[in-house]
Amino acid sequence: MSEEESQESIMWTEKYRPMRLDDIVNQKAAMERLKSMIKSPGNMPHLLFAGPPGTGKTTTALCIARTVLNKYWRDFTLELNASDERGINTVRDRVKTFARYADRRVEIPFRIIILDEADEMTSDAQTALRRIMETYSRGTRFILIGNYSSRIIEPIQSRCAIFRFSRLNEEDVVNYLAEICEKEAVKFDKAALPILSEAAEGDLRHAINILESASTLGEVNSENVRKTAGISGKAKVKDVVNLALEGKLNDARMQLIELTRVYGLSERDFLKYANETIVKLGLPNLGEASEVMAKYDYRLIVGAHPEIQLTALLAELGRIGRDIGFKSK
Ligand SMILES: Nc1ncnc2c1ncn2[C@@H]1O[C@H](COP(=O)(O)OP(=O)(O)OP(=O)(O)O)[C@@H](O)[C@H]1O
Ligand SMILES: [Mg+2]
């Protein structure tokens, strides 16, 4: 959150984004290691944060920048999104400009480059990234962030200290949400928060977003939470996957189109949530299902027509569901 922004209009996820490592909820093991690492920042290696969405990775990276660089953190921290930027060349150019920009009057141990969604980069791009990291490693530290550390090439992994973030448990989520309700003076029913936590599946950002929407309906009670959680993109993707596995291809496809066209869900996000759903369902033929997901993931990356591809994916899910006589619970 930018401190100058008005407190009124910003989303709760930004408003309640922790500013200090001590305020990060859970992730205890990672926090302890990190805190001791930045005590003498000169020795801090590059960092790699891996873990599910909404568990505090980006927030932690920003907290580190604030702690290590103090009041200079804004000027000497570069945040890039690897999947937004048009390829590795843009990343290289921006890193170059940033690393060159010199202000010798300030005493900082190094500049910080936060590279979000690094695991979405192709391995060629990662190889180039590795060279960039080497070229600039004297004056800069990289904090790479991604959902899966296994998608980061080995030579980069071995140059980073790796930190794993885990989904937040119900108790932590419920306590955090209750705190927000109190600060916002929003009325809430204690029984509603565990329901909300379950819907969010350990993703605190998702939980806070549901909470904020539910609060606009008046009170945060079970009914309002159900209403709001039900219309979240993630829950809808789950419905689509279930329909597809049941072989109801047309219904699944109609809902998919509504999701992407009306709700504006991106095809990549659809795939990401669909994959989460499939893993959670614990299908006996998960291996086969994962291969299918990976195939379409690749096709979308290389730019095949998304709607055609996702429809084909739904059809394949229908076959996978039929093989095991799938029935949704
Ligand atoms: N461990 C946490 N402690 C406190 N707040 C958190 C935590 N995790 C997430 N949040 C809340 O969720 C928001 C999003 O967190 P953050 O951006 O750090 O997630 P992320 O792990 O980077 O997710 P993604 O993989 O989707 O980028 C934060 O602004 C904060 O409000
Ligand atoms: Mg993030």
Side-chain angles (χ1 to χ4, degrees):
M1 177 182 66
S2 124
E3 281 93 345
E4 300 85 33
E5 258 175 296
S6 122
Q7 293 283 315
E8 291 306 316
S9 59
I10 56 175
M11 292 170 69
W12 288 1
T13 48
E14 286 308 320
K15 189 166 170 185
Y16 294 102
R17 191 195 277 279
M19 299 281 214
R20 303 174 322 139
L21 288 179
D22 284 324
D23 298 328
I24 302 274
V25 179
N26 206 307
Q27 320 301 4
K28 293 267 164 352
M31 291 312 127
E32 289 312 311
R33 259 176 77 210
L34 274 173
K35 274 191 244 166
S36 67
M37 214 170 253
I38 57 177
K39 261 191 198 131
S40 45
N43 300 327
M44 188 182 106
H46 299 301
L47 309 177
L48 171 58
F49 295 168
T55 50
K57 300 181 298 297
T58 302
T59 308
T60 302
L62 293 172
C63 288
I64 289 178
R66 248 184 231 108
T67 311
V68 174
L69 305 179
N70 287 311
K71 60 180 175 184
Y72 301 118
W73 81 274
R74 276 180 204 290
D75 286 340
F76 293 96
T77 306
L78 175 68
E79 248 190 294
L80 291 175
N81 190 315
S83 62
D84 270 6
E85 303 294 333
R86 307 212 169 274
I88 188 67
N89 290 332
T90 321
V91 171
R92 186 186 292 114
D93 290 346
R94 297 204 48 194
V95 169
K96 212 172 179 175
T97 318
F98 173 72
R100 260 204 210 128
Y101 158 65
D103 187 341
R104 305 259 170 246
R105 290 163 302 174
V106 299
E107 295 252 331
I108 48 161
F110 42 71
R111 297 141 202 264
I112 294 180
I113 297 173
I114 302 174
L115 192 57
D116 231 321
E117 305 199 9
D119 60 339
E120 306 259 337
M121 298 172 91
T122 62
S123 42
D124 283 350
Q126 290 188 31
T127 306
L129 173 66
R130 172 196 154 183
R131 277 191 218 107
I132 298 171
M133 288 170 76
E134 235 136 63
T135 310
Y136 297 103
S137 69
R138 268 191 67 202
T140 50
R141 291 295 178 281
F142 281 77
I143 304 181
L144 306 181
I145 303 183
N147 293 130
Y148 306 99
S149 65
S150 56
R151 285 198 196 152
I152 303 283
I153 58 170
E154 183 54 40
I156 290 187
Q157 283 196 41
S158 67
R159 282 171 175 76
C160 295
I162 303 180
F163 293 84
R164 293 182 201 288
F165 286 65
S166 40
R167 289 181 196 281
L168 299 168
N169 62 34
E170 179 178 304
E171 192 189 345
D172 284 337
V173 174
V174 166
N175 289 340
Y176 202 72
L177 297 179
E179 225 174 89
I180 294 182
C181 287
E182 266 148 33
K183 285 186 186 144
E184 293 289 328
V186 164
K187 248 176 90 182
F188 70 101
D189 173 5
K190 274 216 169 81
L193 300 186
I195 299 174
L196 200 163
S197 164
E198 200 192 327
E201 300 175 329
D203 175 339
L204 193 51
R205 177 198 295 114
H206 192 39
I208 298 173
N209 280 333
I210 300 176
L211 184 78
E212 185 168 6
S213 315
S215 77
T216 62
L217 300 175
E219 186 184 341
V220 179
N221 55 31
S222 311
E223 193 196 335
N224 287 340
V225 164
R226 283 212 180 84
K227 269 189 207 154
T228 327
I231 57 163
S232 80
K234 217 169 178 170
K236 287 218 164 185
V237 171
K238 206 164 157 182
D239 291 345
V240 175
V241 169
N242 273 300
L243 285 169
L245 286 167
E246 284 173 354
K248 297 176 183 153
L249 180 59
N250 268 329
D251 293 346
R253 188 168 164 275
M254 291 313 291
Q255 287 203 19
L256 164 71
I257 289 173
E258 181 179 302
L259 257 179
T260 51
R261 292 199 195 152
V262 184
Y263 288 86
L265 185 77
S266 77
E267 282 83 10
R268 298 294 320 271
D269 279 347
F270 175 85
L271 214 54
K272 195 156 133 187
Y273 294 150
N275 195 46
E276 280 176 29
T277 305
I278 283 173
V279 171
K280 276 197 78 184
L281 282 170
L283 303 177
N285 48 359
L286 176 63
E288 196 189 335
S290 304
E291 271 176 36
V292 168
M293 298 304 291
K295 177 168 82 189
Y296 288 97
D297 185 37
Y298 180 74
R299 287 188 185 172
L300 286 189
I301 291 179
V302 299
H305 190 289
E307 212 167 281
I308 296 174
Q309 293 303 325
L310 290 184
T311 303
L313 165 68
L314 296 179
E316 285 210 46
L317 288 180
R319 177 180 53 76
I320 286 174
R322 193 173 59 234
D323 287 348
I324 54 166
F326 178 85
K327 282 199 180 59
S328 77
K329 286 176 209 126

